[in-house]
Amino acid sequence: MAGGLDQPAGARVTREIPDAAQYVVIGGGVVGAATAYHLAKSGARDVILIEKDKLTSGSSWHAAGAVAQYRANANLMALVAYGVDLYSKLEAETGQATGWRPLGGCRVTASKERRAEFLRAISTARSFGLDMELISPREAKDKFPLLDITGLDCGLWIPSDGQVGPSDVTMALVKGARMHGARVFEDTSVTGFTIVDGRIAGIETSKGPIRTESVAICAGIWSRALGRLAGANIPILPSHHCYFITDKIAGLGQFSPFMRDPDLWHYFRAELGGLMVGQYDADPVPYPGGFDIAADHAFKLMPENLEHFMPTFEPLMQRLPVLRTVGVRSWFHGIEAFTEDQQPVLGETPEVRGLFVGAGFNAYGISAGGGFGMAASSTMLMLPNGH
C-alpha cells in the first residue's frame, strides 16, 4: 500500500534531501501525487514530493474510491471529468495498476426540486462533452436491483463515472512523476518555512533545509497546521467521515454503479460481495484535537460512532431494505479535510507569494485529485519564480 515503488529507468535516485529545488510539493496523497506528476510531466526541471510518513498514509488510503463527476459548480465538474480521462489512461502510461473501473454512477431523488437541479447539471455537463441523462426510477432499479424505488421521482445517470483503488492510483501518479524526473522523499517532515519579503524562500525539514520559491501544500488534514507555520490561513476543518462494508449478499455480485441518494446524504455500491455504505454528513464531527492532528496519525482510523451515523441511516434502510437484515463486516471511520462552503481550497495564498494550496476536498479527494493536481501545477507554472 505505501512506499516500495520500483524506480523507473532514467529517473533520478537519491538518498539525501537536496538543498534546493524549483518546485516542492508537500503531501504524499492523491492530490500531492497528482500535482507532482503534472509539474514533472509539464517539463518542470526540478520537482520534489515530500511525505512526512509513507505515501497514502493520510486520508487517501481509507477513501471509498469513487470517481463521481457531478458537481454543482461547472468548473469543478470539468476538473473531475479531466481526472476520469487521466485515470483511464494512467495504467497504460506507467505500468502501475490503478484499479480503474468505468462502472457508471447514478443519483436518485424523490424531490422535484432536485430533478430541476439534475436537469441544469445535464445542460452544463453537455457544454463540455460530459454525458449525463435523466432516467426513470425503474431504470435506476435496473442498474441497482436492491433499490426500493417507492416515492422516487427520477435518477441521474453518468455512464463515465467509475471507481479506482485509492492507494493504487496514488502510486501510479507517483510513478509517473518519477518517470518524468521528480524525486520523492518519505519519512520527511516539514518543520518550518523561510519567508523573505512576503514570498517563499525555502522550507525546513526534518532532514535539512531546502531553498525554493514555489511550494504546494497538498497535505490534506495537516494542511492548515502547515499553513500556520508559513503565516497563511488555510480554512479547513479536519472532521470525521465514515462508511461500512456489509457481509456478503446473495446475488449482488462484485461490482455495481456507484449509487447516491443526496436527499438522504448517503452513497452505496457493491463491494467484496456485500455493500459499501457511506455517509456525507450535513453536520460533520470535528476532529477532537482541532487543527493539530497527532504526529503519528498515519494509516489510522477513529473509533466507531454509531450514535452520529444512525439518524440518517434509518431513512436509508427504506431505500435499501436489505440493510435491515445484513450484518456489518467492517467500519472505516477516518478523518477528512472539510471546508465551511464545501468547496476546496486551491491556488496561491494571499498572505505568502509562491505558496500554493490544494486541500479541503470534503471527502471527494479521489474524484478531484487528478484534475486538481493539473490545476495546481498549471497555476504554479504560470506564476514563475520571482513574480
Side-chain angles (χ1 to χ4, degrees):
M1 179 179 294
L5 284 176
D6 292 333
Q7 192 75 14
R12 288 170 285 176
V13 182
T14 180
R15 295 183 181 277
E16 296 182 357
I17 202 85
D19 59 9
Q22 186 180 18
Y23 297 98
V24 175
V25 180
I26 305 170
V30 66
V31 178
T35 302
Y37 165 84
H38 283 94
L39 282 168
K41 191 171 183 179
S42 296
R45 57 178 170 78
D46 194 7
V47 180
I48 289 175
L49 175 65
I50 292 177
E51 165 55 45
K52 73 176 188 62
D53 199 274
K54 301 297 183 186
L55 297 170
T56 79
S57 62
S59 299
S60 292
W61 77 272
H62 61 71
V67 183
Q69 297 165 91
Y70 173 90
R71 301 291 154 196
N73 180 290
N75 290 329
L76 297 182
M77 199 182 302
L79 285 173
V80 179
Y82 169 87
V84 166
D85 184 63
L86 172 66
Y87 294 164
S88 68
K89 299 174 180 176
L90 197 57
E91 183 172 347
E93 176 187 344
T94 65
Q96 175 77 30
T98 63
W100 169 249
R101 297 189 296 268
L103 300 173
C106 184
R107 292 169 178 258
V108 296
T109 183
S111 163
K112 298 291 186 185
E113 290 77 12
R114 200 171 297 277
R115 168 194 274 261
E117 177 186 309
F118 287 172
L119 289 170
R120 288 193 297 271
I122 290 170
S123 177
T124 300
R126 287 177 178 169
S127 70
F128 55 84
L130 175 59
D131 183 25
M132 293 183 182
E133 62 175 308
L134 207 67
I135 61 175
S136 69
R138 171 52 60 183
E139 289 173 307
K141 186 174 179 64
D142 289 343
K143 297 180 185 300
F144 201 87
L146 294 179
L147 202 63
D148 184 338
I149 60 175
T150 303
L152 282 184
D153 179 81
C154 66
L156 179 67
W157 173 243
I158 309 174
S160 58
D161 276 3
Q163 303 165 25
V164 294
S167 294
D168 295 333
V169 79
T170 303
M171 291 303 189
L173 288 163
V174 170
K175 187 171 182 180
R178 282 174 157 160
M179 288 169 63
H180 292 287
R183 290 173 287 176
V184 179
F185 297 89
E186 297 179 304
D187 303 308
T188 305
S189 298
V190 174
T191 57
F193 295 82
T194 302
I195 313 296
V196 177
D197 295 330
R199 73 161 298 117
I200 284 287
I203 65 172
E204 300 289 332
T205 81
S206 57
K207 295 181 180 177
I210 303 174
R211 298 191 310 276
T212 183
E213 293 186 346
S214 193
V215 175
I217 296 176
C218 304
I221 57 178
W222 288 276
S223 294
R224 181 158 187 162
L226 284 167
R228 290 162 71 187
L229 288 177
N233 180 40
I234 301 175
I236 65 171
L237 180 62
S239 302
H240 292 205
H241 179 74
C242 63
Y243 64 88
F244 63 84
I245 298 174
T246 72
D247 292 335
K248 289 186 177 182
I249 299 171
L252 181 57
Q254 182 71 11
F255 305 119
S256 74
F258 212 103
M259 306 291 295
R260 287 171 177 78
D261 188 328
D263 302 330
L264 303 182
W265 293 81
H266 280 88
Y267 58 84
F268 43 96
R269 75 163 193 235
E271 178 78 6
L272 301 174
L275 281 175
M276 170 190 284
V277 180
Q279 176 190 59
Y280 284 112
D281 201 333
D283 185 24
V285 177
Y287 176 71
F291 307 126
D292 298 316
I293 310 296
D296 64 349
H297 188 88
F299 298 113
K300 286 191 175 180
L301 295 172
M302 305 299 291
E304 297 173 11
N305 187 345
L306 299 182
E307 180 179 348
H308 190 75
F309 193 95
M310 288 308 294
T312 57
F313 185 60
E314 293 288 346
L316 183 64
M317 288 192 291
Q318 299 176 30
R319 187 69 63 225
L320 288 175
V322 69
L323 293 178
R324 299 184 186 279
T325 55
V326 69
V328 173
R329 186 186 315 176
S330 54
W331 282 85
F332 290 81
H333 189 179
I335 303 298
E336 300 270 3
F338 286 81
T339 61
E340 183 67 25
D341 63 359
Q342 298 184 25
Q343 304 300 329
V345 183
L346 182 70
E348 190 177 33
T349 66
E351 299 93 343
V352 183
R353 287 174 295 153
L355 181 64
F356 301 84
V357 180
F361 290 97
N362 299 276
Y364 68 93
I366 300 300
S367 290
F372 279 90
M374 178 273 290
S377 67
S378 297
T379 305
M380 295 171 77
L381 291 164
M382 284 192 301
L383 298 176
N385 296 345
H387 77 282

